[in-house]
Short mmCIF file of all heavy atoms in Angstrom, two decimals:
data_model
loop_
_atom_site.label_atom_id
_atom_site.label_comp_id
_atom_site.label_asym_id
_atom_site.label_seq_id
_atom_site.Cartn_x
_atom_site.Cartn_y
_atom_site.Cartn_z
N THR A 218 0.84 -1.21 0.00
CA THR A 218 0.00 0.00 0.00
C THR A 218 0.87 1.25 0.00
O THR A 218 0.62 2.20 -0.75
CB THR A 218 -0.94 0.00 1.22
OG1 THR A 218 -1.74 -1.18 1.18
CG2 THR A 218 -1.82 1.23 1.24
N LEU A 219 1.89 1.25 0.85
CA LEU A 219 2.77 2.42 0.94
C LEU A 219 3.53 2.66 -0.36
O LEU A 219 3.84 3.80 -0.70
CB LEU A 219 3.76 2.25 2.10
CG LEU A 219 3.16 2.33 3.49
CD1 LEU A 219 4.21 1.98 4.54
CD2 LEU A 219 2.57 3.70 3.74
N ALA A 220 3.84 1.58 -1.09
CA ALA A 220 4.56 1.73 -2.35
C ALA A 220 3.74 2.54 -3.36
O ALA A 220 4.31 3.14 -4.27
CB ALA A 220 4.91 0.36 -2.92
N TRP A 221 2.42 2.56 -3.19
CA TRP A 221 1.56 3.29 -4.12
C TRP A 221 1.29 4.72 -3.66
O TRP A 221 0.63 5.48 -4.36
CB TRP A 221 0.23 2.55 -4.28
CG TRP A 221 0.37 1.34 -5.14
CD1 TRP A 221 0.61 0.07 -4.72
CD2 TRP A 221 0.33 1.30 -6.57
NE1 TRP A 221 0.72 -0.77 -5.81
CE2 TRP A 221 0.54 -0.03 -6.95
CE3 TRP A 221 0.14 2.26 -7.55
CZ2 TRP A 221 0.56 -0.43 -8.28
CZ3 TRP A 221 0.16 1.85 -8.88
CH2 TRP A 221 0.36 0.52 -9.23
N THR A 222 1.81 5.10 -2.49
CA THR A 222 1.58 6.47 -2.00
C THR A 222 2.68 7.39 -2.54
O THR A 222 3.68 6.94 -3.09
CB THR A 222 1.58 6.53 -0.47
OG1 THR A 222 2.86 6.14 0.03
CG2 THR A 222 0.49 5.65 0.12
N SER A 223 2.49 8.66 -2.32
CA SER A 223 3.47 9.65 -2.79
C SER A 223 4.76 9.54 -1.97
O SER A 223 4.76 9.03 -0.84
CB SER A 223 2.91 11.06 -2.66
OG SER A 223 2.81 11.42 -1.29
N THR A 224 5.83 10.03 -2.54
CA THR A 224 7.11 10.00 -1.82
C THR A 224 7.05 10.87 -0.56
O THR A 224 7.72 10.57 0.42
CB THR A 224 8.28 10.45 -2.72
OG1 THR A 224 7.97 11.72 -3.27
CG2 THR A 224 8.53 9.46 -3.83
N ALA A 225 6.23 11.93 -0.58
CA ALA A 225 6.09 12.78 0.61
C ALA A 225 5.46 12.00 1.76
O ALA A 225 5.91 12.08 2.91
CB ALA A 225 5.26 14.02 0.28
N VAL A 226 4.42 11.23 1.47
CA VAL A 226 3.76 10.41 2.49
C VAL A 226 4.73 9.33 2.99
O VAL A 226 4.84 9.09 4.20
CB VAL A 226 2.46 9.77 1.95
CG1 VAL A 226 1.92 8.72 2.89
CG2 VAL A 226 1.43 10.85 1.67
N GLN A 227 5.44 8.70 2.07
CA GLN A 227 6.42 7.69 2.46
C GLN A 227 7.48 8.28 3.38
O GLN A 227 7.84 7.68 4.39
CB GLN A 227 7.09 7.08 1.23
CG GLN A 227 6.18 6.23 0.39
CD GLN A 227 6.85 5.75 -0.89
OE1 GLN A 227 8.04 5.89 -1.08
NE2 GLN A 227 6.04 5.18 -1.78
N LYS A 228 7.95 9.48 3.07
CA LYS A 228 8.98 10.13 3.89
C LYS A 228 8.45 10.44 5.27
O LYS A 228 9.12 10.20 6.27
CB LYS A 228 9.47 11.40 3.22
CG LYS A 228 10.35 12.27 4.10
CD LYS A 228 11.67 12.56 3.50
CE LYS A 228 12.55 13.46 4.32
NZ LYS A 228 12.83 13.03 5.67
N GLN A 229 7.23 10.99 5.35
CA GLN A 229 6.65 11.29 6.66
C GLN A 229 6.51 10.04 7.51
O GLN A 229 6.84 10.04 8.69
CB GLN A 229 5.29 11.97 6.51
CG GLN A 229 5.37 13.39 6.03
CD GLN A 229 3.99 14.00 5.84
OE1 GLN A 229 2.99 13.31 5.70
NE2 GLN A 229 3.95 15.33 5.86
N LEU A 230 6.04 8.97 6.90
CA LEU A 230 5.85 7.74 7.66
C LEU A 230 7.19 7.13 8.06
O LEU A 230 7.35 6.69 9.20
CB LEU A 230 5.03 6.72 6.87
CG LEU A 230 4.73 5.46 7.67
CD1 LEU A 230 3.81 5.78 8.85
CD2 LEU A 230 4.11 4.41 6.80
N THR A 231 8.16 7.10 7.15
CA THR A 231 9.46 6.53 7.52
C THR A 231 10.17 7.38 8.57
O THR A 231 10.90 6.84 9.40
CB THR A 231 10.37 6.30 6.29
OG1 THR A 231 10.52 7.53 5.58
CG2 THR A 231 9.81 5.22 5.38
N ASP A 232 9.94 8.69 8.58
CA ASP A 232 10.48 9.54 9.64
C ASP A 232 9.85 9.16 10.98
O ASP A 232 10.55 9.03 11.99
CB ASP A 232 10.23 11.02 9.36
CG ASP A 232 11.13 11.58 8.27
OD1 ASP A 232 12.09 10.88 7.85
OD2 ASP A 232 10.87 12.72 7.81
N LEU A 233 8.54 8.98 11.00
CA LEU A 233 7.85 8.59 12.23
C LEU A 233 8.34 7.23 12.71
O LEU A 233 8.69 7.05 13.88
CB LEU A 233 6.33 8.55 12.00
CG LEU A 233 5.49 7.97 13.14
CD1 LEU A 233 5.60 8.82 14.40
CD2 LEU A 233 4.04 7.82 12.70
N LEU A 234 8.41 6.28 11.79
CA LEU A 234 8.85 4.93 12.17
C LEU A 234 10.31 4.94 12.61
O LEU A 234 10.69 4.20 13.53
CB LEU A 234 8.66 3.96 11.00
CG LEU A 234 7.21 3.77 10.54
CD1 LEU A 234 7.16 2.80 9.35
CD2 LEU A 234 6.32 3.30 11.66
N GLY A 235 11.12 5.78 11.99
CA GLY A 235 12.53 5.90 12.39
C GLY A 235 12.67 6.40 13.82
O GLY A 235 13.48 5.89 14.59
N MET A 236 11.85 7.40 14.18
CA MET A 236 11.90 7.91 15.56
C MET A 236 11.45 6.85 16.56
O MET A 236 11.96 6.77 17.65
CB MET A 236 11.02 9.15 15.71
CG MET A 236 11.63 10.40 15.15
SD MET A 236 10.78 11.92 15.63
CE MET A 236 9.07 11.51 15.60
N LEU A 237 10.48 6.03 16.16
CA LEU A 237 9.96 5.01 17.07
C LEU A 237 10.87 3.79 17.16
O LEU A 237 10.83 3.07 18.15
CB LEU A 237 8.57 4.58 16.62
CG LEU A 237 7.48 5.64 16.74
CD1 LEU A 237 6.17 5.10 16.17
CD2 LEU A 237 7.31 6.09 18.16
N SER A 238 11.70 3.57 16.15
CA SER A 238 12.56 2.38 16.19
C SER A 238 13.95 2.67 16.74
O SER A 238 14.61 1.76 17.21
CB SER A 238 12.65 1.74 14.80
OG SER A 238 13.23 2.63 13.89
N MET A 239 14.38 3.91 16.71
CA MET A 239 15.71 4.24 17.22
C MET A 239 15.68 4.34 18.74
O MET A 239 14.85 5.06 19.31
CB MET A 239 16.19 5.56 16.60
CG MET A 239 17.63 5.88 16.93
SD MET A 239 18.26 7.29 16.01
CE MET A 239 17.19 8.59 16.56
N GLY A 240 16.57 3.64 19.41
CA GLY A 240 16.58 3.58 20.86
C GLY A 240 16.65 4.94 21.54
O GLY A 240 16.04 5.16 22.58
N LEU A 241 17.40 5.86 20.96
CA LEU A 241 17.58 7.19 21.56
C LEU A 241 16.27 7.96 21.67
O LEU A 241 16.05 8.70 22.63
CB LEU A 241 18.60 7.98 20.72
CG LEU A 241 19.04 9.34 21.24
CD1 LEU A 241 19.74 9.19 22.58
CD2 LEU A 241 19.97 10.00 20.23
N THR A 242 15.38 7.79 20.72
CA THR A 242 14.11 8.51 20.75
C THR A 242 12.94 7.61 21.16
O THR A 242 11.92 8.12 21.63
CB THR A 242 13.81 9.12 19.37
OG1 THR A 242 13.91 8.11 18.37
CG2 THR A 242 14.77 10.25 19.07
N ARG A 243 13.07 6.30 21.01
CA ARG A 243 11.97 5.38 21.33
C ARG A 243 11.57 5.48 22.80
O ARG A 243 10.38 5.61 23.12
CB ARG A 243 12.34 3.94 21.00
CG ARG A 243 11.25 2.94 21.36
CD ARG A 243 11.63 1.49 21.12
NE ARG A 243 12.88 1.15 21.77
CZ ARG A 243 13.99 0.81 21.11
NH1 ARG A 243 14.00 0.75 19.81
NH2 ARG A 243 15.10 0.51 21.77
N GLY A 244 12.52 5.42 23.70
CA GLY A 244 12.20 5.45 25.13
C GLY A 244 11.44 6.70 25.54
O GLY A 244 10.33 6.60 26.10
N PRO A 245 11.98 7.89 25.27
CA PRO A 245 11.25 9.10 25.67
C PRO A 245 9.90 9.27 24.98
O PRO A 245 8.95 9.76 25.58
CB PRO A 245 12.19 10.24 25.27
CG PRO A 245 13.53 9.63 25.17
CD PRO A 245 13.31 8.20 24.78
N LEU A 246 9.79 8.85 23.72
CA LEU A 246 8.54 9.04 23.00
C LEU A 246 7.47 8.00 23.34
O LEU A 246 6.28 8.30 23.29
CB LEU A 246 8.79 9.01 21.49
CG LEU A 246 9.43 10.25 20.88
CD1 LEU A 246 9.78 10.01 19.42
CD2 LEU A 246 8.49 11.44 21.01
N THR A 247 7.89 6.78 23.65
CA THR A 247 6.92 5.71 23.83
C THR A 247 6.86 5.13 25.23
O THR A 247 5.88 4.49 25.58
CB THR A 247 7.25 4.53 22.88
OG1 THR A 247 8.48 3.95 23.28
CG2 THR A 247 7.30 4.97 21.44
N GLY A 248 7.92 5.32 26.00
CA GLY A 248 7.99 4.66 27.31
C GLY A 248 8.48 3.23 27.19
O GLY A 248 8.56 2.52 28.18
N ILE A 249 8.82 2.79 25.99
CA ILE A 249 9.35 1.45 25.77
C ILE A 249 10.86 1.59 25.63
O ILE A 249 11.35 2.04 24.59
CB ILE A 249 8.72 0.78 24.53
CG1 ILE A 249 7.22 0.63 24.75
CG2 ILE A 249 9.38 -0.55 24.22
CD1 ILE A 249 6.43 0.19 23.56
N TRP A 250 11.58 1.25 26.67
CA TRP A 250 13.01 1.52 26.73
C TRP A 250 13.84 0.39 26.15
O TRP A 250 14.97 0.59 25.74
CB TRP A 250 13.43 1.84 28.16
CG TRP A 250 12.77 3.09 28.62
CD1 TRP A 250 11.57 3.19 29.29
CD2 TRP A 250 13.20 4.43 28.40
NE1 TRP A 250 11.25 4.51 29.50
CE2 TRP A 250 12.24 5.29 28.97
CE3 TRP A 250 14.31 4.99 27.79
CZ2 TRP A 250 12.35 6.67 28.95
CZ3 TRP A 250 14.42 6.36 27.77
CH2 TRP A 250 13.45 7.19 28.34
N GLY A 251 13.28 -0.80 26.08
CA GLY A 251 13.99 -1.92 25.47
C GLY A 251 13.60 -2.07 24.01
O GLY A 251 12.99 -1.19 23.41
N SER A 252 13.93 -3.21 23.45
CA SER A 252 13.61 -3.45 22.04
C SER A 252 12.12 -3.73 21.87
O SER A 252 11.43 -4.13 22.82
CB SER A 252 14.42 -4.64 21.51
OG SER A 252 13.96 -5.83 22.13
N TRP A 253 11.63 -3.53 20.66
CA TRP A 253 10.22 -3.79 20.37
C TRP A 253 9.90 -5.26 20.52
O TRP A 253 8.77 -5.62 20.87
CB TRP A 253 9.87 -3.31 18.97
CG TRP A 253 9.68 -1.83 18.91
CD1 TRP A 253 10.56 -0.90 18.43
CD2 TRP A 253 8.55 -1.08 19.37
NE1 TRP A 253 10.04 0.36 18.56
CE2 TRP A 253 8.80 0.29 19.13
CE3 TRP A 253 7.34 -1.43 19.96
CZ2 TRP A 253 7.89 1.28 19.46
CZ3 TRP A 253 6.43 -0.44 20.28
CH2 TRP A 253 6.72 0.90 20.03
N GLU A 254 10.86 -6.13 20.25
CA GLU A 254 10.62 -7.56 20.37
C GLU A 254 10.31 -7.96 21.80
O GLU A 254 9.60 -8.93 22.05
CB GLU A 254 11.83 -8.37 19.88
CG GLU A 254 12.06 -8.29 18.38
CD GLU A 254 13.04 -7.17 18.00
OE1 GLU A 254 13.20 -6.20 18.77
OE2 GLU A 254 13.63 -7.25 16.92
N ASN A 255 10.83 -7.20 22.78
CA ASN A 255 10.60 -7.51 24.19
C ASN A 255 9.47 -6.72 24.82
O ASN A 255 9.16 -6.89 25.99
CB ASN A 255 11.89 -7.25 24.99
CG ASN A 255 13.01 -8.17 24.56
OD1 ASN A 255 12.78 -9.29 24.14
ND2 ASN A 255 14.23 -7.69 24.63
N ALA A 256 8.83 -5.86 24.06
CA ALA A 256 7.72 -5.05 24.58
C ALA A 256 6.48 -5.93 24.76
O ALA A 256 6.14 -6.72 23.88
CB ALA A 256 7.40 -3.90 23.64
N THR A 257 5.82 -5.79 25.89
CA THR A 257 4.59 -6.54 26.14
C THR A 257 3.41 -5.80 25.53
O THR A 257 3.51 -4.62 25.19
CB THR A 257 4.35 -6.69 27.65
OG1 THR A 257 4.12 -5.39 28.22
CG2 THR A 257 5.54 -7.37 28.34
N ASP A 258 2.29 -6.51 25.41
CA ASP A 258 1.07 -5.86 24.92
C ASP A 258 0.68 -4.68 25.81
O ASP A 258 0.21 -3.66 25.32
CB ASP A 258 -0.09 -6.85 24.85
CG ASP A 258 -0.06 -7.72 23.60
OD1 ASP A 258 0.68 -7.38 22.66
OD2 ASP A 258 -0.79 -8.73 23.57
N GLU A 259 0.90 -4.83 27.12
CA GLU A 259 0.57 -3.75 28.06
C GLU A 259 1.46 -2.53 27.79
O GLU A 259 0.98 -1.39 27.85
CB GLU A 259 0.73 -4.22 29.51
CG GLU A 259 -0.29 -5.26 29.94
CD GLU A 259 0.04 -6.66 29.44
OE1 GLU A 259 1.23 -6.99 29.21
OE2 GLU A 259 -0.91 -7.45 29.24
N ASP A 260 2.75 -2.75 27.52
CA ASP A 260 3.66 -1.64 27.21
C ASP A 260 3.19 -0.90 25.95
O ASP A 260 3.14 0.33 25.92
CB ASP A 260 5.09 -2.14 26.97
CG ASP A 260 5.74 -2.74 28.19
OD1 ASP A 260 5.34 -2.39 29.31
OD2 ASP A 260 6.66 -3.56 28.01
N VAL A 261 2.87 -1.67 24.92
CA VAL A 261 2.46 -1.07 23.65
C VAL A 261 1.11 -0.38 23.81
O VAL A 261 0.90 0.73 23.31
CB VAL A 261 2.41 -2.13 22.53
CG1 VAL A 261 1.89 -1.54 21.23
CG2 VAL A 261 3.79 -2.75 22.32
N ARG A 262 0.19 -0.99 24.54
CA ARG A 262 -1.12 -0.39 24.77
C ARG A 262 -0.97 0.93 25.53
O ARG A 262 -1.62 1.93 25.20
CB ARG A 262 -2.02 -1.34 25.54
CG ARG A 262 -3.47 -0.92 25.58
CD ARG A 262 -4.40 -1.99 26.15
NE ARG A 262 -4.43 -3.16 25.28
CZ ARG A 262 -3.88 -4.34 25.60
NH1 ARG A 262 -3.27 -4.51 26.74
NH2 ARG A 262 -3.95 -5.35 24.75
N ALA A 263 -0.10 0.96 26.55
CA ALA A 263 0.12 2.19 27.32
C ALA A 263 0.69 3.29 26.42
O ALA A 263 0.27 4.46 26.50
CB ALA A 263 1.05 1.91 28.49
N PHE A 264 1.64 2.93 25.55
CA PHE A 264 2.20 3.89 24.60
C PHE A 264 1.12 4.44 23.68
O PHE A 264 1.00 5.66 23.48
CB PHE A 264 3.34 3.23 23.81
CG PHE A 264 3.47 3.64 22.37
CD1 PHE A 264 3.74 4.95 22.02
CD2 PHE A 264 3.31 2.72 21.35
CE1 PHE A 264 3.86 5.33 20.68
CE2 PHE A 264 3.43 3.08 20.02
CZ PHE A 264 3.70 4.39 19.69
#
């Protein structure tokens, strides 16, 4: 689906996903300080 969107939309989404996946910004933004693989449903729901 994303491949069919504009490059501007793709950039905005990849910027958002980049902030959420990078450890330096993930913890303060989400409250999930470890890796996403170790996040519980409760952690993700709280975020």
Side-chain angles (χ1 to χ4, degrees):
T218 302
L219 291 173
W221 285 93
T222 63
S223 70
T224 54
V226 169
Q227 291 175 10
K228 169 125 178 56
Q229 287 178 339
L230 184 66
T231 55
D232 286 350
L233 172 64
L234 298 179
M236 283 193 321
L237 293 176
S238 62
M239 188 171 61
L241 185 62
T242 52
R243 178 184 53 245
L246 284 173
T247 66
I249 297 171
W250 296 92
S252 69
W253 282 103
E254 291 93 336
N255 296 329
T257 65
D258 279 345
E259 292 78 27
D260 295 335
V261 176
R262 192 170 295 109
F264 144 63

